[in-house]
Amino acid sequence: MRTTGMRAIVAAAAVSALVAVCGCTAQGTDADGGHHLPVHIKLPGSSGGSSSTGDGKTSASPSTARAANVLWSRGDSGGAVRELQARLRQVDWLFDGPTGTYDDLTEQAVAGFQGKRGLPKTGETDTVTWQRLLKMTHEPGKWDLYLMGGQPAGAPDPRCLTGRVLCIDKTSRTLRWMIDGRTVSTMSVRFGAQYTPTRDGVFQVYWKARNWVSTLYHSPMPYAMFFSGGQAVHYSYDFSMRGYAGGSHGCVNVRDEAAIASLFAQVRTGDKVVVHQ
């Protein structure tokens, strides 16, 4: 009888051992390509990278936990990455951009920031790194996010919709090159400083000079297209290096040399210039 009872107990245990429970892990992305915080659903006994702690609880393996907590890493792009870069600039770990693309320089900056604070130097922005950075920085403004350009152009002024026009928008800080209402190209631009503002209005390109040096300020003005007195659209080395941290003496600065070289080749004397807000 005792032997029969023991066999029954063993059989019951064997049947119980066949019962298994499974789990899942999900992670989503936002519209900018950045990662939301991960969502985990794990049931006791699941094998999704976890192991028993001996007290009935489960814990993720180090590699699984690190991967799950990564918000952004190399190759990601979008508004969230742009904000990350702007905040890294505030603490002097990044000097380029923001560009909105998580490139090698961003990866190096994140790794440096992590190492300085005793965090694993992965170069990937995880939740711990991001929270530490948030505490040390302030929310960047629009022109912190677009310090070096790259912002979208605003709607063209109605005066730009006919003919050949350099349509220059002070609000969005962009220049549209338009022909008969069609936008051929756009580029980021910078304007005059407080005491030397760029004039608003409708003008014409009255003179072009491929290599020009200002006779008043003795600064180079490559690809200059003059439209109002000494004010011109031209390439600016300073804008290329410092972005919106600086300003012109009234000219419309372009920081993309390839873009303005192409524009200079297309624009003719007599083409319209509209500067608006």
Side-chain angles (χ1 to χ4, degrees), residues 209-214 219-224 226 230-232 234-235 251:
R210 167 63 182 80
N211 295 296
W212 183 253
V213 177
S214 170
S219 55
M221 298 170 57
Y223 305 103
F226 289 88
Q231 295 189 354
H234 68 84
Y235 174 71
C251 287

Side-chain angles (χ1 to χ4, degrees), residues 12 38 62 70 88 98-99 114 148 194-195 223 261 267:
V70 170
L88 286 169
T99 63
Q114 290 169 328
M148 304 306 289
Q194 180 180 358
Y195 299 108
Y223 305 103
V267 172

Side-chain angles (χ1 to χ4, degrees), residues 253-268:
N253 293 163
V254 178
R255 68 178 302 270
D256 186 333
E257 188 170 9
I260 195 168
S262 175
L263 180 65
F264 185 86
Q266 298 174 64
V267 172
R268 306 168 186 165

Side-chain angles (χ1 to χ4, degrees), residues 85-170:
Q85 294 169 327
R87 289 182 183 271
L88 286 169
R89 286 184 62 94
Q90 290 179 31
V91 291
D92 295 328
W93 277 105
L94 187 66
F95 300 96
D96 275 18
T99 63
T101 299
Y102 205 117
D103 54 13
D104 58 334
L105 295 178
T106 305
E107 186 176 61
Q108 292 167 21
V110 170
F113 177 84
Q114 290 169 328
K116 185 72 173 180
R117 283 146 192 89
L119 303 174
K121 294 177 63 176
T122 64
E124 299 174 321
T125 304
D126 54 36
T127 53
V128 175
T129 301
W130 179 237
Q131 289 302 320
R132 184 70 64 86
L133 184 60
L134 286 178
K135 291 179 181 179
M136 297 178 61
T137 56
H138 59 81
E139 183 176 356
K142 178 177 180 179
W143 300 116
D144 296 318
L145 295 172
Y146 293 99
L147 179 64
M148 304 306 289
Q151 67 275 13
D157 185 280
R159 295 170 293 181
C160 300
L161 299 179
T162 58
R164 299 165 55 88
V165 191
L166 291 173
C167 191
I168 302 168
D169 185 350
K170 284 185 172 180

Side-chain angles (χ1 to χ4, degrees), residues 172-240:
S172 64
R173 299 183 181 181
T174 56
L175 179 154
R176 288 177 182 264
W177 167 230
M178 304 185 69
I179 299 177
D180 296 330
R182 178 177 61 89
T183 299
V184 178
S185 61
T186 62
M187 57 202 73
S188 302
V189 292
R190 188 178 71 172
F191 302 98
Q194 180 180 358
Y195 299 108
T196 54
T198 303
R199 290 182 279 274
D200 293 353
V202 179
F203 312 93
Q204 286 186 332
V205 175
Y206 70 87
W207 186 48
K208 294 173 57 181
R210 167 63 182 80
N211 295 296
W212 183 253
V213 177
S214 170
T215 56
L216 183 59
Y217 300 106
H218 309 293
S219 55
M221 298 170 57
Y223 305 103
M225 292 170 278
F226 289 88
F227 61 87
S228 177
Q231 295 189 354
V233 176
H234 68 84
Y235 174 71
S236 168
Y237 298 103
D238 183 73
F239 186 22
S240 179

Side-chain angles (χ1 to χ4, degrees), residues 21-24 41-51 58:
V21 185
C22 63
C24 66
I41 304 173
K42 290 185 180 295
L43 300 179
S46 66
S47 60
S50 61
S51 59
T58 58

